Amino acid sequence: MFATISAATSLTGVVRGGVWLAFVAVAALLVAFTGLALRALRVPTPLVGLGQAVVLLFLVTGSFTNSGILAIIPGPAAFAELDEVLTAAFGTIRTGVPPVEGTAPILCLATIAIGLVAIVVDTLVVAAAAPAATGLVLLCVYAVPSALADDLLPWWTFVLGATAFAILLAVDGTHRHNRWRNRPAPSGGVPAAARPTPVAVVAGALAAGLVTGTAITGIGTEGSLPGSKGERTVLGGLGVNPFTSLRGMLDQGEDVPLFRVSGLDEPRLLRAFTLDTYQPNEGWRLAEGPMPAGVPANGQLPPGPGDDGSAPDRRITIEPVHWNDVWLPVYGSPRALEGVSEGWYYDRTSGSVFRERRQAPGPYMETAALTEPTKADLRGVEPDPAEIDDAYTQVPHVDQRVARLAERLTASSETTFDKVHAIWEYFDVENGFVYDTRTAPAADRDALADFVLQGKRGYCEQYASAMAVMLRSLDIPARVAIGFTGGTPDGDVRTITSRDAHAWVEVYFGEHGWVGFDPTPLADGRGYLPPYLTEESDEGGDTANGGDEVPSARPNDSPDQSEPTRDEQEPGDVAAQQTQDGPLSDRDTWLLLFAAILAAAAVTVAVIVIVSARRSRASGTTTPAGRAAWLPLVAVGLGSLAAVLLGWWVHWAVASALLVCTGLLLAPAVVRQTQRHRRLNAVEHGSDVAAADAAWRELRQECGDRNLHITSSDTVRLAAQKIARKHRLDDRGKQDLRVLVTMIEQSWYGSARERSDRDAAGFARAFLGVLDALDRVAPLSWKGRLLPRSVVRRTRSR
């Protein structure tokens, strides 16, 4: 567990903040506790790994979804939520610049990944008895952030990982030495047939590590390896996902500058690409198949739809900052591009500039037509859908309730523009629509109908997707455009960041080409409202509708559209909220601080126990048995309590699961120590017969904990012979054992005079000496102390 968490600290190079470490630590603790508990019940090894995976799934469900059964058990709705969260996480990885923000999707992915690593490490160390093989697994953990991060990882994460691995090997070596020392010497060498399992495990891990390492090395190093050819593809930088979703949560990451634009007098929408294919119940995407042929983008470009050449040219300089994608965003209707390298192509139908592979482009200059039609111009045009590709009017399936709504909204509209305007106006706060980074909980099987008719809560993807579908249901050509809002002005330069990414609708109006409509119901001063939507205020000039909002959801200023506070959220929203609220609350800070103090105390007590035990064995001194017997339990209890507090910070269900696991883990040891304490008290202060009975029962149970079964029919002397032979007692231990046997026999079978002459203090010293000798020559492991055989076997037999 410690080795896994230490290796996971390498994620510092690719994930910001420290919240992810708490989730990773809880996952590793859960995996370790689950494995310990299941192995104590002698569950088969494959089922132990399966049980650990199930507990990890419970943790992820409780922390990152709101639809789990009893909060932690995943059902179909929870799996759907996890799919959306992981899709967002992979999108961030694909387009993000390390280190990325520790958003809920990233936390979820890190928890799952490190949890699975913890299961593999636990299986190799405990089940396969091959801790050395874990080095390759842990090395792969370091390989991922090393390949993704632009800068070197912190030195301390390598030191911590190496130290943890060294401790793992040292503990395993000590354990093997103790087992070897206390077993009969073999008559000959170990046959080769007895050694294939560790060799096979190590060989398999080596092969897997080499294969995985080779695959991971290919990420982010293309073009930098010796002998590589072709254009260098930079890993750092952001892009946009060519897909819109009708349900889900918007991933809010760090606000990264993407472009610096000069040559614009007012904000305009910057188009990256357009989506023309609708998938029912999912969203919009690019059409299947290869990219269109296009024409080379550097130089003069063919005029796009609606550009007759009469509009004046506007020269715009665009400087990419952290942009790395297959798309090259442009404004309006592009006429020429300068400074564009080879490999970029322009498709006049979609209005997109693209290439086959991602690239971080240099500055380029666009000559574009930015003149826009008036409302009268658009009303005077009735576009013929036959003029363009059928793909822009096709819609596979639309819920009849949505289709009827679209017809009802446009029943009194005379022109195509009036119909589009009526649909656009419907997505207004007055009709109950609210901008939010998370869609409303699903209440309908059809995602589109659920958003339009019931949920009415979401971000730009949902609004643009819904409006485009409603327009196509009326046989009006429409598509979804993906790009950016106008950004933030700074003198003559506008800065466009990752939070300016946006989705809107483009409608075909014949001679005027594709005209933009943004249905997202927010305004923060950064958007652009075209003149055909601001003219004639009595016919829809409500500017509250037209403003553009950052798709990554800058908070809405109006009280009725603000996101729910932490206290109003469901428990499952805590993980996402912690990544959006910035600094932790006072309660969270104290909770994490207290958990850290408990964890440090647990480590301190554990070190004291280990050092004291080694010093006692080295010096040969005797320590009264039972005086420090509770210290290992104290260490485990403090560590478990720290894990429970971390679990409570993540989710109350996680804390409950950890509390139950801790109770199950500590129960056998608590029962055993309670029995031990009661019997030692009887040995020291009880009558002669009671003391002898207590000593005999405790001695049998101590032997049972060490896998030496002494039956009730065995005589005291026979039991003593078994103990001396099995555990190879030293001379002092044998002397104490002889004294103990003699005094027990006197108490049971001696005369009244012999019992009256009994030396109670000497009996207690001899008994404690025997227990001390067993601790010296056959010390119990941590597992043996936490899960004593005598208690566990008795529980199973019942």
Side-chain angles (χ1 to χ4, degrees):
M1 177 187 67
F2 177 60
T4 302
I5 297 176
S6 299
T9 59
S10 60
L11 295 178
T12 303
V14 293
V15 183
R16 292 184 183 275
V19 176
W20 58 269
L21 186 57
F23 285 88
V24 165
V26 170
L29 285 169
L30 273 179
V31 167
F33 287 162
T34 303
L36 191 59
L38 293 179
R39 290 188 182 98
L41 299 176
R42 300 195 174 223
V43 175
T45 299
L47 295 182
V48 172
L50 180 60
Q52 291 172 321
V54 170
V55 171
L56 178 63
L57 180 59
F58 288 169
L59 169 66
V60 173
T61 302
S63 302
F64 301 101
T65 71
N66 297 317
S67 305
I69 303 169
L70 298 179
I72 63 172
I73 302 175
F79 278 117
E81 284 191 62
L82 285 178
D83 178 68
E84 293 171 354
V85 172
L86 291 177
T87 298
F90 288 120
T92 301
I93 291 175
R94 185 176 63 255
T95 60
V97 179
V100 298
E101 285 295 316
T103 58
I106 293 297
L107 293 178
C108 180
L109 183 60
T111 302
I112 294 175
I114 301 302
L116 294 176
V117 169
I119 294 174
V120 173
V121 170
D122 182 78
T123 302
L124 289 174
V125 172
V126 181
T134 63
L136 293 170
V137 179
L138 300 177
L139 187 61
C140 290
V141 176
Y142 281 94
V144 174
S146 298
L148 294 177
D150 293 332
D151 300 325
L152 293 176
L153 298 180
W155 62 269
W156 55 265
T157 184
F158 293 101
V159 173
L160 187 61
T163 303
F165 184 60
I167 293 174
L168 178 65
L169 295 179
V171 171
D172 179 74
T174 302
H175 176 65
R176 291 175 183 270
H177 174 71
N178 288 335
R179 287 195 307 173
W180 174 85
R181 185 183 62 180
N182 292 299
R183 70 171 54 153
S187 58
V190 179
R195 299 194 300 265
T197 300
V199 173
V201 170
V202 174
L206 177 62
L210 293 176
V211 172
T212 306
T214 302
I216 292 175
T217 304
I219 301 176
T221 58
E222 183 178 357
S224 61
L225 295 177
S228 62
K229 298 180 179 180
E231 192 173 30
R232 180 172 178 266
T233 301
V234 182
L235 179 66
L238 295 181
V240 286
N241 189 14
F243 184 82
T244 66
S245 174
L246 289 170
R247 283 186 179 139
M249 180 183 68
L250 184 63
D251 179 20
Q252 290 186 333
E254 182 185 6
D255 198 2
V256 179
L258 297 181
F259 303 97
R260 283 192 288 266
V261 179
S262 58
L264 284 178
D265 297 333
E266 56 184 356
R268 292 294 184 102
L269 295 176
L270 178 62
R271 183 198 313 108
F273 56 89
T274 57
L275 304 176
D276 55 15
T277 304
Y278 172 67
Q279 289 182 304
N281 216 36
E282 293 186 16
W284 289 76
R285 62 172 175 81
L286 292 172
E288 296 183 357
M291 292 283 197
V295 298
N298 193 29
Q300 294 295 319
L301 304 177
D307 183 13
D308 58 4
S310 61
D313 289 342
R314 176 66 62 87
R315 293 177 64 82
I316 307 166
T317 301
I318 304 173
E319 179 186 357
V321 181
H322 291 104
W323 178 254
N324 183 11
D325 209 338
V326 299
W327 311 102
L328 195 67
V330 292
Y331 286 99
S333 180
R335 292 176 172 174
L337 289 174
E338 302 174 28
V340 177
S341 62
E342 294 183 3
W344 292 98
Y345 296 91
Y346 170 67
D347 175 41
R348 66 181 300 273
T349 302
S350 63
S352 304
V353 180
F354 62 92
R355 62 181 293 116
E356 291 294 332
R357 300 173 59 189
R358 293 176 59 190
Q359 183 188 7
Y364 57 99
M365 180 175 292
E366 177 192 4
T367 301
L370 299 183
T371 303
E372 293 180 311
T374 64
K375 180 177 292 187
D377 293 334
L378 297 178
R379 275 182 171 164
V381 174
E382 286 301 321
D384 182 4
E387 296 177 359
I388 59 173
D389 195 307
D390 293 342
Y392 292 108
T393 55
Q394 293 176 352
V395 55
H397 169 74
V398 180
D399 190 286
Q400 289 302 308
R401 294 169 294 173
V402 176
R404 287 194 296 269
L405 173 64
E407 293 175 356
R408 186 169 64 252
L409 292 173
T410 59
S412 60
S413 301
E414 298 180 357
T415 66
T416 298
F417 173 80
D418 291 333
K419 293 179 180 179
V420 176
H421 192 277
I423 300 294
W424 175 76
E425 278 194 318
Y426 173 69
F427 297 97
D428 186 57
V429 293
E430 294 182 357
N431 292 323
F433 284 92
V434 177
Y435 182 89
D436 198 351
T437 58
R438 184 190 297 268
T439 55
D444 197 299
R445 289 183 300 176
D446 188 282
L448 176 64
D450 183 66
F451 172 75
V452 173
L453 303 174
Q454 301 181 60
K456 297 185 177 182
R457 179 182 291 272
Y459 44 100
C460 60
E461 284 190 16
Q462 282 81 46
Y463 286 98
S465 297
M467 179 177 175
V469 172
M470 294 176 71
L471 291 175
R472 285 197 180 184
S473 71
L474 300 173
D475 203 30
I476 298 175
R479 66 189 185 188
V480 173
I482 304 295
F484 302 89
T485 61
T488 304
D490 183 12
D492 296 333
V493 178
R494 304 190 71 88
T495 300
I496 298 174
T497 71
S498 55
R499 293 193 177 182
D500 289 312
H502 199 51
W504 64 94
V505 177
E506 290 186 346
V507 184
Y508 182 71
F509 277 90
E511 63 188 55
H512 298 293
W514 292 95
V515 180
F517 292 82
D518 182 8
T520 306
L522 280 180
D524 69 343
R526 298 178 58 151
Y528 171 69
L529 193 64
Y532 47 83
L533 293 177
T534 59
E535 297 171 354
E536 303 177 24
S537 59
D538 60 325
E539 295 185 26
D542 184 5
T543 58
N545 253 9
D548 213 336
E549 170 58 15
V550 197
S552 300
R554 294 189 183 279
N556 180 19
D557 295 334
S558 59
D560 60 332
Q561 296 179 28
S562 61
E563 295 185 24
T565 64
R566 183 185 183 96
D567 294 335
E568 295 170 342
Q569 285 186 320
E570 294 295 327
D573 290 337
V574 173
Q577 185 67 22
Q578 287 165 342
T579 64
Q580 297 172 10
D581 288 347
L584 298 175
S585 66
D586 292 340
R587 185 187 67 178
D588 291 336
T589 301
W590 283 107
L591 191 65
L592 293 177
L593 179 61
F594 193 41
I597 293 174
L598 288 175
V603 173
T604 302
V605 174
V607 170
I608 292 174
V609 171
I610 295 173
V611 172
S612 300
R614 289 181 177 178
R615 286 181 177 177
S616 298
R617 288 196 295 269
S619 62
T621 58
T622 59
T623 303
R627 182 170 296 178
W630 289 93
L631 283 181
L633 290 181
V634 171
V636 175
L638 290 174
S640 300
L641 184 57
V644 169
L645 290 178
L646 287 175
W648 183 266
W649 176 71
V650 174
H651 193 283
W652 65 268
V654 176
S656 300
L658 283 173
L659 194 59
V660 171
C661 290
T662 301
L664 294 175
L665 176 67
L666 295 180
V670 171
V671 170
R672 180 70 185 91
Q673 290 302 324
T674 302
Q675 294 172 343
R676 183 187 181 100
H677 178 75
R678 186 177 65 251
R679 290 166 184 165
L680 288 178
N681 186 65
V683 168
E684 293 180 347
H685 306 291
S687 62
D688 55 349
V689 177
D693 291 343
W696 173 244
R697 288 194 299 269
E698 180 61 25
L699 185 61
R700 287 181 57 193
Q701 198 157 354
E702 281 285 342
C703 293
D705 291 339
R706 291 168 172 79
N707 203 26
L708 175 59
H709 185 56
I710 297 178
T711 65
S712 57
S713 61
D714 289 340
T715 64
V716 180
R717 291 188 178 274
L718 180 58
Q721 292 174 3
K722 289 183 177 180
I723 294 172
R725 184 170 59 252
K726 169 73 174 179
H727 297 303
R728 301 179 180 180
L729 292 183
D730 52 22
D731 292 339
R732 185 172 51 184
K734 291 178 180 179
Q735 178 61 32
D736 289 330
L737 184 58
R738 280 193 291 268
V739 173
L740 179 65
V741 169
T742 301
M743 299 185 76
I744 289 178
E745 289 180 336
Q746 288 179 352
S747 298
W748 284 351
Y749 312 118
S751 63
R753 182 178 178 180
E754 289 176 334
R755 289 196 298 271
S756 63
D757 294 340
R758 172 180 173 270
D759 182 6
F763 179 75
R765 283 195 301 271
F767 178 67
L768 295 177
V770 172
L771 296 184
D772 238 12
L774 290 175
D775 284 338
R776 287 196 304 272
V777 301
L780 289 173
S781 64
W782 279 80
K783 179 181 178 181
R785 293 181 183 276
L786 289 176
L787 300 171
R789 293 174 179 268
S790 58
V791 175
V792 174
R793 285 181 174 177
R794 184 181 305 173
T795 302
R796 285 212 311 270
S797 64
R798 291 178 181 175

